[in-house]
Amino acid sequence: MASYKTKLKLYLEANSKTFDRAKVSIQDNMDNGVSAPFIVDWDYDGLEKPTDEQIASYETAGNAEETLNNVLAKRKKEYKDFGYQLDLLYHDMTAGKLDNTGEWHKHIKAVKDANSKG
């Protein structure tokens, strides 16, 4: 289930706005252990505060965005540091392997293959 913040962010982007904590605040009053978030303050010029139904309509898109963000975060952790990658590129360049036979390409491909965007 997509987070309320993700769905709100998508609602704002669909209406040519960006999420800004100075313009919106969210509160979550847990109800018997169940999350029950809602908008406390709303200060976006030219855009009405969304209804619960409007926020809920972004569930599918929110799930897709959160899944993608998780994949990208996992990739970021698995990529070697830039110094190591530059060293791989240097050795590939001197060996004339700036194609898919180079070690840098193999490293990046392995991470991408292990963490597919779907």
Side-chain angles (χ1 to χ4, degrees):
M1 181 171 181
S3 73
Y4 191 85
K5 182 180 176 183
T6 297
K7 293 184 280 190
L8 178 57
K9 179 180 159 285
L10 291 170
Y11 169 80
L12 289 165
E13 289 172 357
N15 288 281
S16 302
K17 306 286 185 184
T18 57
F19 185 87
D20 183 344
R21 288 186 176 151
K23 294 182 177 183
V24 62
S25 62
I26 303 168
Q27 185 172 325
D28 190 353
N29 291 347
M30 296 293 282
D31 185 17
N32 291 323
V34 177
S35 180
F38 61 95
I39 297 170
V40 177
D41 295 308
W42 183 263
D43 189 26
Y44 283 92
D45 290 331
L47 183 61
E48 293 293 318
K49 181 170 86 169
T51 64
D52 290 340
E53 292 78 21
Q54 287 172 308
I55 295 295
S57 73
Y58 288 91
E59 182 69 32
T60 301
N63 286 333
E65 176 153 320
E66 289 179 358
T67 298
L68 176 60
N69 288 341
N70 289 337
V71 168
L72 295 176
K74 190 164 188 235
R75 281 184 181 179
K76 187 175 181 178
K77 289 170 100 176
E78 292 183 19
Y79 287 134
K80 303 289 183 183
D81 68 61
F82 285 137
Y84 182 83
Q85 288 188 44
L86 287 171
D87 193 52
L88 287 176
L89 283 170
Y90 170 79
H91 289 288
D92 288 348
M93 288 171 70
T94 58
K97 292 184 170 186
L98 288 177
D99 56 10
N100 61 2
T101 64
E103 294 305 311
W104 179 83
H105 180 271
K106 290 177 188 176
H107 165 64
I108 299 300
K109 184 169 179 8
V111 171
K112 287 182 178 278
D113 287 350
N115 300 287
S116 172
K117 287 184 183 177

